[in-house]
Amino acid sequence: MPSRASEQVINLIEAGLRDGSLKAGSRIPGERTLCMECGVGRSSVREGLRVLEAFGIIRSSAGTGPDAGSFIASEPQEGFSRAMAMHLLVRSFNVADTIEFRELVEGWSAAQAAHCEDSAQRDAALAEAAALLDRMDDPKINQETFHDLDMQFHTLISALGGNAVVDTTLGALRSSVLGYVLAAVKQLPDWRAEVEILQKEHRLLLAAVHNRDSAEAQRIAVQHIRGFAERAKIGLQQ
Amino acid sequence: MPSRASEQVINLIEAGLRDGSLKAGSRIPGERTLCMECGVGRSSVREGLRVLEAFGIIRSSAGTGPDAGSFIASEPQEGFSRAMAMHLLVRSFNVADTIEFRELVEGWSAAQAAHCEDSAQRDAALAEAAALLDRMDDPKINQETFHDLDMQFHTLISALGGNAVVDTTLGALRSSVLGYVLAAVKQLPDWRAEVEILQKEHRLLLAAVHNRDSAEAQRIAVQHIRGFAERAKIGLQQ
């Protein structure tokens, strides 16, 4: 944890969020004001602000105009994803636990996506998901591009579920395992054969969501994660 | 996100974790070495280290002895819990979504706890959970103490499930909603009546885990969270 002095700056911002005086988009008081309000030096204030930036809670714009300064972030997911990814790296989380957790949440989320009400947004997301799968069919695609588009496909599906906590957690889980996925696919005897299996499952998942078949969407999502982990031997080394 | 210069320090530590040269307990190179390796100034190095501390990835000991310096943390959960709690405060996560997510994960985790193999650890955890419930029966207990012990009880149960990712995520979810829980119980017309309901459910949950009845443990865990949220009107204001 940061030093006690910088901690006071973080506590002040947390208190503002808690009592509602700060919310997404609010401007944070300037460094001089924070020094006075917290009774700490300028380097401690900067340290506290850096920590809040790293958590994704505030974002700063440089310069001196009316848009300069620090604001409460309105899209703070990146900081959270990063915290989760770093925890996986420290191996306080092992890969097998992460996969098991992903099966649970990804399965639930696919079922929710199949439930979601008709809307123009839903149609657009399903069309975009189908377009991603078409791009992934390119026989000359490389592994990095394929698995990046794969992540985007799953992100579109789980966003349809409409639960921001689930969505962010899954986003963080997916980006934290991407390194392992890419390392594992290099060990596969036949990556193109794996692509065929994954793409078949992607299309079945998309169809189940499209047809509002929650049970089938959940079943395929779980099987998709479990099967890939087994074939690529992810999480079995530990 | 932090400045580009301090970002280089974070990337260096991340790379060390990824290639295995750094692991829990490893000592981080000193500030001077980091300045040279990253080609950045000392204030940027300090900034990067502060961010890693805030994420819970490293911990620092002051002084000059052999135990002084910065190390890769072996228990980095606190930083992760804090990131989740802050995101809830910024309302990028709304309370209703958080409760829905908690129902999913807490229910699964209770079912896993009921599955877990016999061991001295299991017996000790179940005995400790029962002792917590006895303390919570104290008719003179205050709301803060009750809900803190309540959180400890659920932590013991979910730790039995044996999945560290689930465990940490639930810990973070519970501490991030604690503020809302305490605000909500103050609005209840009869908190003592609520305590009776919660304690009855806690004992049913403990019995189901003890008797290895996974389906019942899951059902009670979900009902416990949902019922409390409905009675205390948590997540309905939004």
Side-chain angles (χ1 to χ4, degrees):
Chain A
M1 282 289 111
S3 69
R4 275 200 209 138
S6 62
E7 192 70 14
Q8 297 202 28
V9 178
I10 298 171
N11 290 342
L12 184 80
I13 305 297
E14 276 190 320
L17 290 167
R18 197 167 280 125
D19 70 21
S21 61
L22 292 175
K23 55 192 78 165
S26 299
R27 183 196 286 265
I28 307 280
E31 284 184 10
R32 210 175 303 175
T33 311
L34 290 173
C35 288
M36 286 195 300
E37 286 191 24
C38 301
V40 299
R42 192 166 278 216
S43 67
S44 299
V45 164
R46 286 196 183 141
E47 220 175 87
L49 293 178
R50 285 296 179 217
V51 168
L52 289 166
E53 266 189 294
F55 274 131
I57 298 302
I58 66 173
R59 60 184 170 75
S60 300
S61 327
T64 51
D67 296 333
S70 295
F71 298 84
I72 300 294
S74 45
E75 301 268 340
Q77 279 78 353
E78 197 192 325
F80 180 71
S81 297
R82 196 159 186 200
M84 192 165 222
M86 285 210 213
H87 280 81
L88 189 71
L89 278 175
V90 166
R91 301 284 178 119
S92 75
F93 294 162
N94 73 48
V95 181
D97 283 359
T98 309
I99 290 169
E100 187 175 56
F101 186 50
R102 208 184 141 197
E103 283 176 17
L104 170 71
V105 187
E106 200 88 62
W108 182 86
S109 163
Q112 293 293 110
H115 272 308
C116 102
E117 282 172 29
D118 262 326
S119 70
Q121 275 167 310
R122 179 178 191 269
D123 294 341
L126 292 178
E128 202 181 331
L132 280 172
L133 294 183
D134 289 344
R135 283 174 62 195
M136 290 157 75
D137 278 338
D138 178 356
K140 284 176 296 186
I141 199 164
N142 67 35
Q143 296 183 343
E144 282 70 17
T145 309
F146 180 87
H147 291 284
D148 182 57
L149 295 174
D150 187 321
M151 204 164 76
Q152 290 179 39
F153 169 79
H154 287 288
T155 302
L156 275 168
I157 299 293
S158 62
L160 278 175
N163 182 315
V165 182
V166 170
D167 205 28
T168 305
T169 306
L170 276 175
L173 279 170
R174 287 186 205 117
S175 43
S176 35
V177 297
L178 192 58
Y180 293 93
V181 166
L182 288 174
V185 292
K186 294 200 194 312
Q187 313 296 326
L188 284 169
D190 185 351
W191 179 67
R192 289 299 323 175
E194 182 62 33
V195 164
E196 272 191 36
I197 299 174
L198 295 178
Q199 283 285 77
K200 193 179 155 204
E201 289 172 344
H202 287 149
R203 290 206 153 86
L204 286 171
L205 175 58
L206 186 59
V209 169
H210 196 271
N211 299 333
R212 307 194 173 290
D213 187 341
S214 292
E216 179 68 357
Q218 179 158 19
R219 191 190 66 74
I220 294 166
V222 171
Q223 179 203 301
H224 182 59
I225 295 163
R226 191 172 295 170
F228 175 74
E230 281 170 6
R231 291 186 302 274
K233 301 188 174 55
I234 296 177
L236 302 177
Q237 314 90 320
Q238 294 180 332
Chain B
M1 283 287 111
S3 69
R4 276 200 208 139
S6 62
E7 192 71 14
Q8 297 203 29
V9 179
I10 298 170
N11 291 342
L12 185 80
I13 304 298
E14 275 189 322
L17 289 166
R18 197 166 284 127
D19 70 21
S21 60
L22 292 175
K23 53 192 80 162
S26 300
R27 183 197 286 268
I28 306 280
E31 284 184 11
R32 211 174 303 174
T33 311
L34 290 174
C35 288
M36 285 192 303
E37 287 191 23
C38 301
V40 300
R42 193 167 276 220
S43 67
S44 299
V45 165
R46 285 197 184 140
E47 219 175 89
L49 293 177
R50 286 295 179 220
V51 168
L52 289 166
E53 266 190 293
F55 274 131
I57 298 303
I58 66 172
R59 60 185 170 74
S60 300
S61 326
T64 51
D67 296 334
S70 294
F71 300 83
I72 301 293
S74 44
E75 300 269 339
Q77 279 76 356
E78 197 192 325
F80 181 70
S81 297
R82 198 161 185 198
M84 191 164 224
M86 285 209 216
H87 281 82
L88 190 70
L89 278 174
V90 165
R91 303 286 178 119
S92 77
F93 294 162
N94 73 48
V95 181
D97 283 358
T98 310
I99 291 170
E100 189 176 54
F101 186 50
R102 208 184 141 198
E103 283 176 18
L104 169 71
V105 188
E106 200 88 63
W108 182 86
S109 162
Q112 292 294 110
H115 272 307
C116 101
E117 281 172 28
D118 263 324
S119 70
Q121 275 168 311
R122 178 178 193 266
D123 294 343
L126 292 177
E128 202 183 330
L132 280 172
L133 295 184
D134 289 344
R135 283 173 64 194
M136 290 158 76
D137 278 339
D138 178 356
K140 284 176 300 187
I141 199 166
N142 67 36
Q143 295 182 344
E144 280 72 15
T145 309
F146 180 87
H147 290 285
D148 183 55
L149 295 174
D150 188 322
M151 204 164 77
Q152 290 180 39
F153 169 79
H154 288 290
T155 301
L156 275 168
I157 298 293
S158 62
L160 278 174
N163 182 314
V165 183
V166 169
D167 205 28
T168 304
T169 306
L170 277 175
L173 278 170
R174 289 186 203 115
S175 46
S176 47
V177 297
L178 192 58
Y180 291 94
V181 166
L182 288 173
V185 293
K186 294 198 196 313
Q187 315 294 327
L188 284 169
D190 184 351
W191 180 67
R192 290 298 324 175
E194 182 62 33
V195 164
E196 273 191 37
I197 299 173
L198 296 177
Q199 283 286 77
K200 194 180 154 202
E201 289 171 346
H202 287 149
R203 290 204 153 87
L204 286 171
L205 175 58
L206 187 58
V209 170
H210 195 273
N211 299 332
R212 308 194 172 290
D213 187 342
S214 292
E216 179 68 358
Q218 178 157 21
R219 192 190 64 76
I220 294 166
V222 171
Q223 179 200 304
H224 182 59
I225 296 162
R226 192 172 295 170
F228 174 75
E230 281 171 7
R231 291 186 301 275
K233 301 187 173 57
I234 296 177
L236 302 177
Q237 313 90 321
Q238 295 177 332

PDB file of all heavy atoms in Angstrom, chain B residues 149-171:
ATOM      1  N   LEU B 149     -18.721  -9.913  11.236  1.00  0.00           N
ATOM      2  CA  LEU B 149     -18.631 -11.362  11.502  1.00  0.00           C
ATOM      3  C   LEU B 149     -19.339 -12.152  10.397  1.00  0.00           C
ATOM      4  O   LEU B 149     -18.891 -13.236   9.999  1.00  0.00           O
ATOM      5  CB  LEU B 149     -19.243 -11.700  12.873  1.00  0.00           C
ATOM      6  CG  LEU B 149     -18.523 -11.110  14.098  1.00  0.00           C
ATOM      7  CD1 LEU B 149     -19.325 -11.393  15.371  1.00  0.00           C
ATOM      8  CD2 LEU B 149     -17.107 -11.656  14.233  1.00  0.00           C
ATOM      9  N   ASP B 150     -20.436 -11.598   9.917  1.00  0.00           N
ATOM     10  CA  ASP B 150     -21.195 -12.186   8.817  1.00  0.00           C
ATOM     11  C   ASP B 150     -20.273 -12.379   7.595  1.00  0.00           C
ATOM     12  O   ASP B 150     -20.216 -13.460   6.986  1.00  0.00           O
ATOM     13  CB  ASP B 150     -22.351 -11.221   8.491  1.00  0.00           C
ATOM     14  CG  ASP B 150     -23.342 -11.782   7.495  1.00  0.00           C
ATOM     15  OD1 ASP B 150     -22.918 -12.460   6.555  1.00  0.00           O
ATOM     16  OD2 ASP B 150     -24.554 -11.526   7.649  1.00  0.00           O
ATOM     17  N   MET B 151     -19.496 -11.333   7.288  1.00  0.00           N
ATOM     18  CA  MET B 151     -18.568 -11.400   6.158  1.00  0.00           C
ATOM     19  C   MET B 151     -17.516 -12.487   6.421  1.00  0.00           C
ATOM     20  O   MET B 151     -17.178 -13.255   5.518  1.00  0.00           O
ATOM     21  CB  MET B 151     -17.907 -10.035   5.973  1.00  0.00           C
ATOM     22  CG  MET B 151     -17.402  -9.768   4.589  1.00  0.00           C
ATOM     23  SD  MET B 151     -17.057  -7.995   4.333  1.00  0.00           S
ATOM     24  CE  MET B 151     -15.495  -7.825   5.192  1.00  0.00           C
ATOM     25  N   GLN B 152     -17.021 -12.561   7.657  1.00  0.00           N
ATOM     26  CA  GLN B 152     -16.024 -13.589   8.005  1.00  0.00           C
ATOM     27  C   GLN B 152     -16.600 -14.995   7.853  1.00  0.00           C
ATOM     28  O   GLN B 152     -15.913 -15.916   7.413  1.00  0.00           O
ATOM     29  CB  GLN B 152     -15.532 -13.401   9.442  1.00  0.00           C
ATOM     30  CG  GLN B 152     -14.669 -12.165   9.643  1.00  0.00           C
ATOM     31  CD  GLN B 152     -14.220 -12.032  11.097  1.00  0.00           C
ATOM     32  OE1 GLN B 152     -13.905 -13.007  11.757  1.00  0.00           O
ATOM     33  NE2 GLN B 152     -14.212 -10.810  11.591  1.00  0.00           N
ATOM     34  N   PHE B 153     -17.874 -15.140   8.247  1.00  0.00           N
ATOM     35  CA  PHE B 153     -18.531 -16.447   8.120  1.00  0.00           C
ATOM     36  C   PHE B 153     -18.555 -16.884   6.646  1.00  0.00           C
ATOM     37  O   PHE B 153     -18.149 -17.988   6.294  1.00  0.00           O
ATOM     38  CB  PHE B 153     -19.955 -16.365   8.696  1.00  0.00           C
ATOM     39  CG  PHE B 153     -20.816 -17.563   8.386  1.00  0.00           C
ATOM     40  CD1 PHE B 153     -20.695 -18.749   9.104  1.00  0.00           C
ATOM     41  CD2 PHE B 153     -21.745 -17.515   7.346  1.00  0.00           C
ATOM     42  CE1 PHE B 153     -21.478 -19.861   8.803  1.00  0.00           C
ATOM     43  CE2 PHE B 153     -22.542 -18.621   7.041  1.00  0.00           C
ATOM     44  CZ  PHE B 153     -22.401 -19.795   7.774  1.00  0.00           C
ATOM     45  N   HIS B 154     -19.016 -15.987   5.784  1.00  0.00           N
ATOM     46  CA  HIS B 154     -19.096 -16.333   4.355  1.00  0.00           C
ATOM     47  C   HIS B 154     -17.708 -16.577   3.759  1.00  0.00           C
ATOM     48  O   HIS B 154     -17.552 -17.409   2.864  1.00  0.00           O
ATOM     49  CB  HIS B 154     -19.858 -15.259   3.587  1.00  0.00           C
ATOM     50  CG  HIS B 154     -21.327 -15.281   3.868  1.00  0.00           C
ATOM     51  ND1 HIS B 154     -22.138 -16.301   3.415  1.00  0.00           N
ATOM     52  CD2 HIS B 154     -22.120 -14.460   4.599  1.00  0.00           C
ATOM     53  CE1 HIS B 154     -23.383 -16.079   3.836  1.00  0.00           C
ATOM     54  NE2 HIS B 154     -23.395 -14.975   4.555  1.00  0.00           N
ATOM     55  N   THR B 155     -16.715 -15.845   4.255  1.00  0.00           N
ATOM     56  CA  THR B 155     -15.345 -16.037   3.768  1.00  0.00           C
ATOM     57  C   THR B 155     -14.856 -17.443   4.100  1.00  0.00           C
ATOM     58  O   THR B 155     -14.232 -18.111   3.267  1.00  0.00           O
ATOM     59  CB  THR B 155     -14.420 -14.978   4.403  1.00  0.00           C
ATOM     60  OG1 THR B 155     -14.909 -13.684   4.044  1.00  0.00           O
ATOM     61  CG2 THR B 155     -12.986 -15.130   3.918  1.00  0.00           C
ATOM     62  N   LEU B 156     -15.145 -17.915   5.319  1.00  0.00           N
ATOM     63  CA  LEU B 156     -14.752 -19.275   5.715  1.00  0.00           C
ATOM     64  C   LEU B 156     -15.404 -20.320   4.820  1.00  0.00           C
ATOM     65  O   LEU B 156     -14.770 -21.276   4.384  1.00  0.00           O
ATOM     66  CB  LEU B 156     -15.166 -19.541   7.167  1.00  0.00           C
ATOM     67  CG  LEU B 156     -14.198 -19.068   8.246  1.00  0.00           C
ATOM     68  CD1 LEU B 156     -14.880 -19.123   9.610  1.00  0.00           C
ATOM     69  CD2 LEU B 156     -12.937 -19.931   8.245  1.00  0.00           C
ATOM     70  N   ILE B 157     -16.709 -20.141   4.576  1.00  0.00           N
ATOM     71  CA  ILE B 157     -17.438 -21.114   3.752  1.00  0.00           C
ATOM     72  C   ILE B 157     -16.866 -21.139   2.329  1.00  0.00           C
ATOM     73  O   ILE B 157     -16.560 -22.197   1.785  1.00  0.00           O
ATOM     74  CB  ILE B 157     -18.955 -20.787   3.716  1.00  0.00           C
ATOM     75  CG1 ILE B 157     -19.568 -20.855   5.117  1.00  0.00           C
ATOM     76  CG2 ILE B 157     -19.695 -21.723   2.749  1.00  0.00           C
ATOM     77  CD1 ILE B 157     -19.603 -22.225   5.748  1.00  0.00           C
ATOM     78  N   SER B 158     -16.663 -19.953   1.743  1.00  0.00           N
ATOM     79  CA  SER B 158     -16.236 -19.976   0.340  1.00  0.00           C
ATOM     80  C   SER B 158     -14.790 -20.424   0.203  1.00  0.00           C
ATOM     81  O   SER B 158     -14.418 -21.000  -0.822  1.00  0.00           O
ATOM     82  CB  SER B 158     -16.496 -18.648  -0.362  1.00  0.00           C
ATOM     83  OG  SER B 158     -15.781 -17.605   0.238  1.00  0.00           O
ATOM     84  N   ALA B 159     -13.965 -20.206   1.237  1.00  0.00           N
ATOM     85  CA  ALA B 159     -12.581 -20.694   1.183  1.00  0.00           C
ATOM     86  C   ALA B 159     -12.558 -22.222   1.075  1.00  0.00           C
ATOM     87  O   ALA B 159     -11.666 -22.800   0.447  1.00  0.00           O
ATOM     88  CB  ALA B 159     -11.796 -20.242   2.402  1.00  0.00           C
ATOM     89  N   LEU B 160     -13.575 -22.885   1.651  1.00  0.00           N
ATOM     90  CA  LEU B 160     -13.669 -24.348   1.570  1.00  0.00           C
ATOM     91  C   LEU B 160     -13.832 -24.821   0.127  1.00  0.00           C
ATOM     92  O   LEU B 160     -13.471 -25.950  -0.201  1.00  0.00           O
ATOM     93  CB  LEU B 160     -14.866 -24.853   2.380  1.00  0.00           C
ATOM     94  CG  LEU B 160     -14.665 -25.006   3.887  1.00  0.00           C
ATOM     95  CD1 LEU B 160     -15.981 -25.375   4.555  1.00  0.00           C
ATOM     96  CD2 LEU B 160     -13.617 -26.087   4.164  1.00  0.00           C
ATOM     97  N   GLY B 161     -14.396 -23.965  -0.717  1.00  0.00           N
ATOM     98  CA  GLY B 161     -14.587 -24.327  -2.124  1.00  0.00           C
ATOM     99  C   GLY B 161     -13.261 -24.567  -2.839  1.00  0.00           C
ATOM    100  O   GLY B 161     -13.195 -25.296  -3.814  1.00  0.00           O
ATOM    101  N   GLY B 162     -12.198 -23.906  -2.368  1.00  0.00           N
ATOM    102  CA  GLY B 162     -10.851 -24.205  -2.825  1.00  0.00           C
ATOM    103  C   GLY B 162     -10.446 -23.561  -4.141  1.00  0.00           C
ATOM    104  O   GLY B 162      -9.435 -23.938  -4.718  1.00  0.00           O
ATOM    105  N   ASN B 163     -11.218 -22.588  -4.626  1.00  0.00           N
ATOM    106  CA  ASN B 163     -10.817 -21.876  -5.846  1.00  0.00           C
ATOM    107  C   ASN B 163     -10.406 -20.446  -5.454  1.00  0.00           C
ATOM    108  O   ASN B 163     -11.251 -19.640  -5.045  1.00  0.00           O
ATOM    109  CB  ASN B 163     -11.963 -21.866  -6.859  1.00  0.00           C
ATOM    110  CG  ASN B 163     -11.571 -21.185  -8.164  1.00  0.00           C
ATOM    111  OD1 ASN B 163     -10.972 -20.114  -8.160  1.00  0.00           O
ATOM    112  ND2 ASN B 163     -11.886 -21.810  -9.282  1.00  0.00           N
ATOM    113  N   ALA B 164      -9.107 -20.140  -5.580  1.00  0.00           N
ATOM    114  CA  ALA B 164      -8.587 -18.862  -5.094  1.00  0.00           C
ATOM    115  C   ALA B 164      -9.142 -17.662  -5.866  1.00  0.00           C
ATOM    116  O   ALA B 164      -9.298 -16.578  -5.299  1.00  0.00           O
ATOM    117  CB  ALA B 164      -7.062 -18.852  -5.147  1.00  0.00           C
ATOM    118  N   VAL B 165      -9.442 -17.845  -7.141  1.00  0.00           N
ATOM    119  CA  VAL B 165      -9.968 -16.722  -7.927  1.00  0.00           C
ATOM    120  C   VAL B 165     -11.383 -16.379  -7.439  1.00  0.00           C
ATOM    121  O   VAL B 165     -11.728 -15.213  -7.214  1.00  0.00           O
ATOM    122  CB  VAL B 165     -10.010 -17.035  -9.436  1.00  0.00           C
ATOM    123  CG1 VAL B 165     -10.497 -15.833 -10.220  1.00  0.00           C
ATOM    124  CG2 VAL B 165      -8.638 -17.456  -9.932  1.00  0.00           C
ATOM    125  N   VAL B 166     -12.179 -17.418  -7.233  1.00  0.00           N
ATOM    126  CA  VAL B 166     -13.546 -17.231  -6.740  1.00  0.00           C
ATOM    127  C   VAL B 166     -13.515 -16.589  -5.352  1.00  0.00           C
ATOM    128  O   VAL B 166     -14.241 -15.627  -5.065  1.00  0.00           O
ATOM    129  CB  VAL B 166     -14.269 -18.593  -6.670  1.00  0.00           C
ATOM    130  CG1 VAL B 166     -15.587 -18.477  -5.924  1.00  0.00           C
ATOM    131  CG2 VAL B 166     -14.488 -19.133  -8.076  1.00  0.00           C
ATOM    132  N   ASP B 167     -12.643 -17.125  -4.517  1.00  0.00           N
ATOM    133  CA  ASP B 167     -12.508 -16.673  -3.150  1.00  0.00           C
ATOM    134  C   ASP B 167     -12.153 -15.186  -3.069  1.00  0.00           C
ATOM    135  O   ASP B 167     -12.773 -14.410  -2.337  1.00  0.00           O
ATOM    136  CB  ASP B 167     -11.384 -17.521  -2.540  1.00  0.00           C
ATOM    137  CG  ASP B 167     -11.525 -17.623  -1.053  1.00  0.00           C
ATOM    138  OD1 ASP B 167     -12.663 -17.540  -0.568  1.00  0.00           O
ATOM    139  OD2 ASP B 167     -10.489 -17.784  -0.394  1.00  0.00           O
ATOM    140  N   THR B 168     -11.148 -14.793  -3.865  1.00  0.00           N
ATOM    141  CA  THR B 168     -10.704 -13.401  -3.856  1.00  0.00           C
ATOM    142  C   THR B 168     -11.775 -12.492  -4.435  1.00  0.00           C
ATOM    143  O   THR B 168     -12.021 -11.400  -3.921  1.00  0.00           O
ATOM    144  CB  THR B 168      -9.419 -13.256  -4.691  1.00  0.00           C
ATOM    145  OG1 THR B 168      -8.456 -14.170  -4.171  1.00  0.00           O
ATOM    146  CG2 THR B 168      -8.876 -11.856  -4.615  1.00  0.00           C
ATOM    147  N   THR B 169     -12.420 -12.948  -5.500  1.00  0.00           N
ATOM    148  CA  THR B 169     -13.447 -12.121  -6.129  1.00  0.00           C
ATOM    149  C   THR B 169     -14.606 -11.912  -5.155  1.00  0.00           C
ATOM    150  O   THR B 169     -15.109 -10.793  -5.001  1.00  0.00           O
ATOM    151  CB  THR B 169     -13.947 -12.795  -7.425  1.00  0.00           C
ATOM    152  OG1 THR B 169     -12.824 -13.075  -8.244  1.00  0.00           O
ATOM    153  CG2 THR B 169     -14.910 -11.900  -8.172  1.00  0.00           C
ATOM    154  N   LEU B 170     -14.998 -12.984  -4.471  1.00  0.00           N
ATOM    155  CA  LEU B 170     -16.081 -12.853  -3.494  1.00  0.00           C
ATOM    156  C   LEU B 170     -15.671 -11.949  -2.340  1.00  0.00           C
ATOM    157  O   LEU B 170     -16.472 -11.136  -1.869  1.00  0.00           O
ATOM    158  CB  LEU B 170     -16.480 -14.229  -2.954  1.00  0.00           C
ATOM    159  CG  LEU B 170     -17.457 -14.996  -3.825  1.00  0.00           C
ATOM    160  CD1 LEU B 170     -17.692 -16.385  -3.255  1.00  0.00           C
ATOM    161  CD2 LEU B 170     -18.792 -14.247  -3.916  1.00  0.00           C
ATOM    162  N   GLY B 171     -14.431 -12.092  -1.879  1.00  0.00           N
ATOM    163  CA  GLY B 171     -13.944 -11.233  -0.790  1.00  0.00           C
ATOM    164  C   GLY B 171     -14.039  -9.768  -1.196  1.00  0.00           C
ATOM    165  O   GLY B 171     -14.511  -8.915  -0.431  1.00  0.00           O
TER     166      GLY B 171
END
